[in-house]
Amino acid sequence: MMIYRVKVLIAALSLAFISLTLAAQINVRNYSIRGRQHLMNSEYIQAIRLFNQIIYYKSDHADSYYYRGLAKYQLSDYSGAERDFTRAIELKSYKTEAMYYRAVVNIEKGNKIEALKDLITAIELDDRHPEYFLTRGWLHAEFGDTVGAISDYQTAIKLDEYMDNAYLNLSVIYMLQKNYEDALFNCNKAAEIKPRNLACNLTRGNIYHYN
C-alpha cells in the first residue's frame, strides 16, 4: 500500500506540474500580447514590466528580450536596449530585427563600425527589409563610401518605392557630386512621397543655388 500511495502521489505531482506548465505557457502568450500592445501605445514602462515577468519565468524567451529592448530604446536607455538585443540574438541567431535595432542603438552611441557589422550580417541573412539598406547606406555615406551608399539607397527604393528618405539621401549625394540633374530628380521624388518636407525643400534650394 505504501508503494501504491507513493506512486499515486508522484502521479498527482506530475499532473499538477503539467497543468502549471500549460498555464505558464498561456500566460507567456497573453503577457507578450499585452506587452506589445503597450509598445504600440507608447506605454514603454508598462511594456517593460510585462516582459520582465515573462523573462523571470522563461529566461530563454528571445522575443521578450527583443520587445523589452525596443521599449528601452524608446526611453533612450541605449545600454539596456543593446544588452536585450544581444541576448535575443544569442537565443535566436537568425533574429535580424534584433540585429537591426542593435545597429540603430550603436549609431546612437557613436559605435558606427559595430552598427555596420550588424547591418551587413542582417542583410546577408534576410535582404527583404528596405530599412536595413537605408540605414546601411547612411553608414556607407558616413564612412565616405558613396558607391556603397548609392547602391543601398537604390536597393531600398526597389524594395519600397515610397521610401522618401532614400530618395532624399540620394539627392544629397548627387548634389555633393555636382550631379544636379539626378539630385533634383531624387529630391522631387521625395517631395512627391512626402509633401511639405522641410529637409527636401532645403535640399532643393541648395541644388538651385549651386547649379
Side-chain angles (χ1 to χ4, degrees):
M1 290 296 294
M2 286 290 292
I3 295 173
Y4 177 76
R5 289 175 67 86
V6 169
K7 285 184 177 178
V8 171
L9 180 60
I10 292 171
L13 285 171
S14 297
L15 288 172
F17 178 75
I18 291 169
S19 299
L20 181 62
T21 303
L22 289 173
Q25 288 176 349
I26 293 169
N27 285 337
V28 166
R29 182 175 181 275
N30 290 341
Y31 273 47
S32 184
I33 290 170
R34 288 168 56 195
R36 280 176 282 168
Q37 288 174 339
H38 282 307
L39 267 177
M40 291 175 63
N41 294 331
S42 302
E43 298 163 350
Y44 304 121
I45 298 296
Q46 294 92 322
I48 288 171
R49 287 171 180 164
L50 283 168
F51 292 121
N52 282 345
Q53 292 185 57
I54 296 173
I55 290 167
Y56 179 81
Y57 289 105
K58 193 172 175 62
S59 61
D60 62 347
H61 198 257
D63 287 350
S64 291
Y65 286 102
Y66 168 67
Y67 289 118
R68 189 175 72 175
L70 289 180
K72 289 179 180 179
Y73 168 71
Q74 293 296 337
L75 293 171
S76 299
D77 177 8
Y78 299 132
S79 295
E82 183 182 6
R83 285 193 296 271
D84 278 349
F85 294 139
T86 297
R87 183 59 179 148
I89 295 164
E90 289 171 350
L91 293 166
K92 287 186 178 179
S93 60
Y94 53 86
K95 198 166 184 63
T96 60
E97 61 267 44
M99 295 175 195
Y100 170 73
Y101 277 103
R102 187 169 69 176
V104 172
V105 165
N106 271 314
I107 289 171
E108 294 287 352
K109 295 174 69 175
N111 301 328
K112 295 176 184 176
I113 293 176
E114 293 303 314
L116 184 59
K117 289 178 182 177
D118 267 340
L119 287 166
I120 289 171
T121 302
I123 289 170
E124 286 175 350
L125 291 171
D126 189 352
D127 60 0
R128 299 170 299 171
H129 299 273
E131 66 273 19
Y132 294 7
F133 288 96
L134 177 70
T135 308
R136 191 176 71 170
W138 181 84
L139 282 169
H140 280 316
E142 286 290 294
F143 287 120
D145 179 11
T146 54
V147 174
I150 290 170
S151 176
D152 274 353
Y153 291 145
Q154 290 174 339
T155 302
I157 290 166
K158 287 178 183 177
L159 292 168
D160 181 0
E161 61 181 325
Y162 297 104
M163 185 154 278
D164 58 297
N165 285 336
Y167 283 111
L168 184 57
N169 291 350
L170 277 173
S171 178
V172 172
I173 289 175
Y174 288 133
M175 179 183 68
L176 294 174
Q177 292 178 341
K178 299 183 179 180
N179 181 353
Y180 299 117
E181 182 179 351
D182 285 340
L184 186 58
F185 171 82
N186 282 279
C187 188
N188 288 338
K189 289 292 291 185
E192 288 174 14
I193 297 166
K194 191 175 181 180
R196 300 178 183 177
N197 185 329
L198 179 60
C200 190
N201 291 336
L202 290 171
T203 301
R204 187 189 290 112
N206 285 329
I207 292 169
Y208 286 133
H209 175 75
Y210 291 115
N211 190 358

